[in-house]
Amino acid sequence: MSSRVPDVTCDVAIAGGGPAGNAAAITLRHHGASVLVVDPGRMPRWKPGESLAPAARALLARLGVLERISAGPHTPCLGNQSAWGRNTLAESDFLFSRYGAGWHLDRVLFDRTLTDAARRAGARELTGRVGAARRVCGQWELAVGARTIRARYLLDATGAAARLARHAGATVTRTDRLVAVAALLPSGASNREVPRTSLVESAALGWWYTAPLSAGASVVMAMTDADLVARHALHTPEHWWKHLMATTHVRGRVRRVVPLQGGLRVVRAATSCTHPAAGPGWAAIGDAATTSDPIAARGILTALATGITAADAVHADAAGSSGALEAYAERIVSTHQEYLHARRICYGSEKRWDTPFWNRRR
Ligand SMILES: Cc1cc2nc3c(=O)[nH]c(=O)nc-3n(C[C@H](O)[C@H](O)[C@H](O)COP(=O)(O)OP(=O)(O)OC[C@H]3O[C@@H](n4cnc5c(N)ncnc54)[C@H](O)[C@@H]3O)c2cc1C
């Protein structure tokens, strides 16, 4: 008896079921394509990236999930506070944004909402990891465990490693070695006083960030370069606390608890760009195409936007518009250049520290 696992055939195979992969899946289903989303399906208890910019509203509406996200339990983010370039707090208020408030997300639930929406739109799912991708006679053959997936188009939505884009011949350029040393903490505020803003504060070895997660909890992150984590032993709770307690504003948002809940997590947050971000029959989307410094708080927005745009480009390409994927790749380059310019201005406006972290960014 044969134990051969049947092959799967589809118009578009999407590797990665994060926001980018699911935004693409929903959009392609709206275009009538048959779609398979492959993801290991191991949802973590916590995933970084909880501030969603107000500008995401239009994208969520196009994907048909705006009402669901607005219904909660995500909480409104009314703006940002920052002590950057000076010790006092400046506020940017989303009240004056043409989009209204943003969100402090329950990130795991947010990702699950998009997965559910893709499923309801008719995308098929396969639990697993795409191991290898090769192009045979104008089609993709992907290995997922013992299975072979055959697809006309491949979207790499696997996150910053962009493994499948590399299989397709692209290179990933990183411009820094930024990492987050993060902890989840009970909030310093009572439930009724939970802040509705995120808070950023610069310090000699980088910058601190905190935002409310769900009732009574906050995420607190020290952002610095990977080598500086080791140099300052920032991965040890003792030193992390010492640096946190030296802040002026962020320390006021937390309550001291030892040991830290779940310990400290060191997460890569480097800026990168994939060249090219698309080619014949494929495109990289979300972090697989371009990643940005969390100071920009735009990773999820970019994941949704690139997922939708690349899906539109695939649809156009299938209908005979030969320049659509190339135009998508050019757009990734130009938006990444604009972001790098904005990042230089942002870091250049903090002039108080003569330390490696800041000097590397000037
Ligand atoms: C410290 C930190 C803080 C951040 N803060 C913010 C923020 O406040 N706001 C914001 O908007 N963004 C933020 N971001 C960025 C944001 O989280 C990402 O940009 C976003 O998750 C990208 O979505 P994605 O779908 O491209 O990738 P991901 O969300 O990483 O999803 C990729 C998926 O692909 C799967 N996968 C991986 N390899 C394979 C494979 N071989 N085959 C199949 N599946 C695979 C993974 O399991 C995962 O499910 C932050 C990032 C970091 C690191």
Side-chain angles (χ1 to χ4, degrees), residues 230-251:
R231 197 182 300 174
H232 297 281
L234 207 58
H235 55 292
T236 64
E238 188 195 345
H239 286 86
W240 190 85
W241 268 112
K242 191 184 85 188
H243 285 282
L244 172 57
M245 288 302 130
T247 63
T248 306
H249 305 284
V250 175
R251 61 179 289 180

Side-chain angles (χ1 to χ4, degrees), residues 168-182:
T171 53
V172 177
T173 310
R174 294 217 156 77
T175 48
D176 60 50
R177 297 183 60 209
L178 190 69
V179 293
V181 188

Side-chain angles (χ1 to χ4, degrees), residues 14-22 37-44 46-53 105 107 111 126 128-132 144 156-161 163-164 179-182 209 211 221 223 267-270 285-304 306:
I14 302 175
N22 281 313
V37 181
V38 185
D39 189 274
R42 281 194 298 272
M43 200 48 105
W46 173 75
K47 181 171 175 176
E50 58 297 308
S51 294
L52 183 57
L105 297 174
R107 180 60 199 275
D111 281 19
L126 181 63
R129 191 171 276 278
V130 179
V144 182
D156 181 352
T158 57
R163 287 219 172 75
L164 301 175
V179 293
V181 188
Y209 166 84
M221 298 183 190
M223 306 296 307
V267 188
R268 270 195 275 176
I285 57 179
D287 278 4
T290 168
T291 63
S292 49
D293 189 315
I295 196 69
R298 60 173 224 160
I300 305 169
L301 188 71
T302 304
L304 299 175
T306 54

Side-chain angles (χ1 to χ4, degrees), residues 13 19 322 328 333:
S322 58
Y328 168 78
V333 172

